[in-house]
Amino acid sequence: AMPARAVDGGHYTDIEALPGGVARDASARARSTSRGAEKSTLASSSSRARSFLSTQFGVAWDKRRESWTHQGEIITQFVFVLFVVFTARLNTENISLCGFMERAPNWHGALYYWSATATGNSLAWSTMRSVREEKNAAMKCARFAAGAVPLLSLLGTLVYPRCLWTRHKRHTENWAWSVTAAMVFEWVVDWYHRKFKSRDSERVMHSDLALPQFTWCVGMLTTTFYYYTSSYQFFSGEILGAMSFSWWVMSKHRAGTFVNHPEMRVYTW
């Protein structure tokens, strides 16, 4: 059998070859070094986890110690999850969000309309805030379009149900493409402000939010791939896309998202 070895100053030492006291000291140092490395790894992992939660779920993270009555963003997502859970129990030939809505009872459909209306309300508010604080006239128009087009398209999907197929499909496609364009627009503007505006010592507001944009793309790619199938894969893509869009919109409630918006819950949820 190989003798026990310890690390001492970067060198391996045969503990059994050392006197008793020296061997015990070397073994203790080895254990201490190992515990220090474990603590450092745990601290690093904890720091990364906190950073992830504070950026990707920042609007909820900032209010984590507040009452549940102030957690409207999370509650809205929870309501939508309840809708999905109850939906999976329905029997319908068309396995899609709109197909299930044709069969859902009123109390069930109300869960969907609650979350969709809350998301639309939030989008209208964030559009208003971003346009109000923008100084450049052209950018005001661009910000307004980036919020208004997805909002009107979303309302169109609710006003025209699936039974009015042509109009419903048109609004649904407009909503999907306009949301994607709005996310890209926000990313480009965010990048520009961080790279150029900060050089002039201007106050630059930006977000490291990336999770809902990523899951939105996954959801949209899934629905595109399974578009011509009536399957739970297509349904899952719809659900992932809808929740990603809702969280992306509601993340703008976070304090500091807009210039002159320093306080928490300027918009109370």
Side-chain angles (χ1 to χ4, degrees), residues 140-172:
K140 276 183 179 289
C141 295
R143 290 186 184 279
F144 177 78
V149 176
L151 175 60
L152 293 175
S153 300
L154 175 63
L155 292 178
T157 65
L158 304 180
V159 172
Y160 298 104
R162 190 176 181 276
C163 56
L164 300 174
W165 173 243
T166 302
R167 292 185 178 182
H168 178 80
K169 180 183 178 183
R170 183 183 303 120
H171 284 288
T172 301

Coordinates of all heavy atoms in Angstrom, one line a residue, residues 140-172:
K140 N -37.9 57.8 -29.3 CA -39.3 57.8 -28.7 C -40.2 57.0 -29.6 O -41.0 56.1 -29.1 CB -39.8 59.2 -28.5 CG -39.4 59.9 -27.3 CD -40.0 61.3 -27.2 CE -39.6 62.1 -26.0 NZ -40.2 61.5 -24.7
C141 N -40.2 57.3 -30.9 CA -41.0 56.5 -31.8 C -40.7 55.0 -31.9 O -41.6 54.2 -31.9 CB -40.9 57.1 -33.2 SG -41.5 58.8 -33.3
A142 N -39.4 54.7 -31.8 CA -39.0 53.3 -31.9 C -39.4 52.6 -30.6 O -39.9 51.5 -30.7 CB -37.5 53.3 -32.1
R143 N -39.2 53.2 -29.5 CA -39.6 52.6 -28.2 C -41.1 52.4 -28.2 O -41.6 51.4 -27.7 CB -39.2 53.4 -27.0 CG -37.6 53.4 -26.8 CD -37.3 54.1 -25.6 NE -35.8 54.2 -25.4 CZ -35.1 53.2 -24.9 NH1 -35.6 52.1 -24.5 NH2 -33.8 53.4 -24.8
F144 N -41.9 53.4 -28.7 CA -43.3 53.3 -28.7 C -43.8 52.1 -29.6 O -44.6 51.3 -29.2 CB -44.0 54.6 -29.2 CG -45.5 54.5 -29.3 CD1 -46.3 54.6 -28.2 CD2 -46.1 54.3 -30.6 CE1 -47.6 54.5 -28.3 CE2 -47.4 54.2 -30.7 CZ -48.2 54.3 -29.5
A145 N -43.2 52.0 -30.7 CA -43.5 50.9 -31.7 C -43.1 49.5 -31.1 O -43.9 48.5 -31.2 CB -42.8 51.1 -33.0
A146 N -42.0 49.5 -30.4 CA -41.5 48.2 -29.8 C -42.4 47.7 -28.7 O -42.5 46.5 -28.4 CB -40.1 48.4 -29.2
G147 N -43.2 48.6 -28.1 CA -44.2 48.2 -27.1 C -45.6 48.1 -27.6 O -46.3 47.2 -27.2
A148 N -46.0 49.0 -28.5 CA -47.4 49.1 -28.9 C -47.7 48.0 -29.8 O -48.8 47.4 -29.7 CB -47.6 50.5 -29.6
V149 N -46.8 47.6 -30.8 CA -47.2 46.5 -31.7 C -47.4 45.2 -31.0 O -48.4 44.5 -31.3 CB -46.1 46.5 -32.8 CG1 -46.4 45.3 -33.8 CG2 -46.0 47.8 -33.6
P150 N -46.5 44.7 -30.2 CA -46.8 43.5 -29.4 C -48.0 43.6 -28.6 O -48.8 42.6 -28.5 CB -45.5 43.3 -28.6 CG -44.4 44.1 -29.2 CD -45.1 45.2 -29.8
L151 N -48.3 44.7 -28.0 CA -49.5 44.9 -27.2 C -50.7 44.7 -28.0 O -51.7 44.0 -27.6 CB -49.4 46.2 -26.4 CG -50.7 46.5 -25.6 CD1 -50.9 45.5 -24.5 CD2 -50.5 47.9 -25.0
L152 N -50.8 45.5 -29.1 CA -52.0 45.4 -30.0 C -52.2 44.0 -30.6 O -53.3 43.5 -30.7 CB -51.9 46.5 -31.1 CG -52.0 47.9 -30.6 CD1 -51.8 48.9 -31.8 CD2 -53.3 48.2 -29.9
S153 N -51.1 43.4 -30.9 CA -51.2 42.0 -31.5 C -51.7 41.0 -30.4 O -52.5 40.1 -30.7 CB -49.8 41.6 -32.0 OG -49.3 42.4 -33.0
L154 N -51.2 41.2 -29.2 CA -51.6 40.3 -28.1 C -53.1 40.5 -27.9 O -53.9 39.5 -27.7 CB -50.9 40.6 -26.8 CG -51.3 39.9 -25.6 CD1 -51.1 38.4 -25.7 CD2 -50.6 40.4 -24.3
L155 N -53.6 41.7 -27.8 CA -55.0 42.0 -27.7 C -55.8 41.4 -28.8 O -56.9 40.9 -28.6 CB -55.3 43.5 -27.6 CG -54.7 44.2 -26.3 CD1 -55.0 45.7 -26.4 CD2 -55.3 43.6 -25.1
G156 N -55.2 41.4 -30.0 CA -55.9 40.9 -31.2 C -56.2 39.4 -31.0 O -57.2 38.8 -31.4
T157 N -55.2 38.7 -30.4 CA -55.4 37.2 -30.2 C -56.5 36.9 -29.2 O -57.1 35.8 -29.3 CB -54.1 36.6 -29.7 OG1 -53.7 37.1 -28.4 CG2 -52.9 36.9 -30.7
L158 N -56.7 37.9 -28.3 CA -57.8 37.7 -27.3 C -59.2 38.1 -27.9 O -60.2 37.4 -27.6 CB -57.5 38.5 -26.1 CG -56.1 38.2 -25.4 CD1 -56.0 39.1 -24.2 CD2 -56.0 36.8 -25.0
V159 N -59.2 39.1 -28.7 CA -60.4 39.6 -29.3 C -61.0 38.7 -30.3 O -62.2 38.4 -30.4 CB -60.2 41.0 -29.9 CG1 -61.5 41.5 -30.6 CG2 -59.9 42.0 -28.8
Y160 N -60.1 38.1 -31.2 CA -60.4 37.2 -32.2 C -60.0 35.8 -31.8 O -58.8 35.4 -31.9 CB -59.8 37.6 -33.5 CG -60.2 38.9 -34.0 CD1 -59.3 40.0 -33.9 CD2 -61.4 39.1 -34.6 CE1 -59.7 41.3 -34.4 CE2 -61.8 40.4 -35.1 CZ -61.0 41.4 -35.0 OH -61.3 42.7 -35.4
P161 N -60.9 35.0 -31.3 CA -60.6 33.6 -30.9 C -60.3 32.7 -32.1 O -60.4 33.1 -33.2 CB -61.8 33.1 -30.1 CG -62.9 33.9 -30.7 CD -62.3 35.3 -31.1
R162 N -59.9 31.5 -31.8 CA -59.4 30.6 -32.8 C -60.5 30.2 -33.8 O -60.2 29.9 -35.0 CB -58.9 29.3 -32.1 CG -58.2 28.4 -33.1 CD -57.6 27.2 -32.4 NE -56.9 26.3 -33.3 CZ -57.5 25.4 -34.0 NH1 -58.8 25.2 -34.0 NH2 -56.8 24.6 -34.8
C163 N -61.8 30.3 -33.4 CA -62.8 30.0 -34.4 C -62.9 31.0 -35.5 O -63.4 30.7 -36.6 CB -64.2 30.0 -33.7 SG -64.6 31.5 -32.8
L164 N -62.3 32.2 -35.3 CA -62.1 33.2 -36.4 C -60.7 33.1 -36.9 O -59.9 33.9 -36.6 CB -62.4 34.6 -35.9 CG -63.9 34.9 -35.4 CD1 -64.0 36.2 -34.8 CD2 -64.9 34.6 -36.5
W165 N -60.4 32.0 -37.5 CA -59.1 31.5 -37.7 C -58.1 32.5 -38.4 O -57.0 32.7 -38.0 CB -59.1 30.2 -38.5 CG -57.7 29.7 -38.9 CD1 -57.2 29.5 -40.1 CD2 -56.7 29.3 -38.0 NE1 -56.0 29.0 -40.1 CE2 -55.6 28.9 -38.8 CE3 -56.5 29.3 -36.6 CZ2 -54.4 28.5 -38.2 CZ3 -55.3 28.9 -36.0 CH2 -54.3 28.5 -36.8
T166 N -58.6 33.0 -39.5 CA -57.7 33.9 -40.3 C -57.2 35.1 -39.5 O -56.0 35.4 -39.5 CB -58.4 34.4 -41.6 OG1 -58.8 33.2 -42.4 CG2 -57.5 35.2 -42.5
R167 N -58.1 35.8 -38.9 CA -57.7 37.0 -38.1 C -56.9 36.6 -36.9 O -55.9 37.2 -36.5 CB -59.0 37.7 -37.7 CG -59.7 38.4 -38.9 CD -60.8 39.3 -38.4 NE -61.5 39.9 -39.5 CZ -62.5 40.8 -39.4 NH1 -63.0 41.1 -38.2 NH2 -63.0 41.3 -40.5
H168 N -57.3 35.5 -36.2 CA -56.6 35.0 -35.0 C -55.2 34.7 -35.4 O -54.2 35.0 -34.7 CB -57.3 33.8 -34.4 CG -56.6 33.2 -33.3 ND1 -56.7 33.8 -32.0 CD2 -55.8 32.2 -33.1 CE1 -56.0 33.1 -31.1 NE2 -55.4 32.1 -31.8
K169 N -55.0 33.9 -36.5 CA -53.6 33.5 -36.9 C -52.8 34.7 -37.3 O -51.6 34.8 -36.9 CB -53.8 32.6 -38.1 CG -52.4 32.1 -38.6 CD -52.6 31.2 -39.9 CE -51.2 30.8 -40.4 NZ -51.3 30.0 -41.7
R170 N -53.4 35.7 -37.9 CA -52.6 36.9 -38.3 C -52.1 37.6 -37.1 O -50.9 38.0 -37.0 CB -53.5 37.8 -39.2 CG -52.8 39.1 -39.7 CD -53.7 40.0 -40.4 NE -54.3 39.3 -41.5 CZ -55.6 39.2 -41.7 NH1 -56.4 39.7 -40.8 NH2 -56.1 38.6 -42.7
H171 N -53.0 37.8 -36.1 CA -52.6 38.5 -34.9 C -51.5 37.7 -34.1 O -50.6 38.3 -33.5 CB -53.8 38.8 -34.0 CG -54.6 39.9 -34.5 ND1 -54.2 41.3 -34.4 CD2 -55.8 40.0 -35.1 CE1 -55.1 42.1 -34.9 NE2 -56.1 41.3 -35.3
T172 N -51.7 36.4 -34.1 CA -50.7 35.5 -33.4 C -49.3 35.6 -34.0 O -48.3 35.8 -33.3 CB -51.2 34.1 -33.4 OG1 -52.5 34.0 -32.7 CG2 -50.2 33.2 -32.6

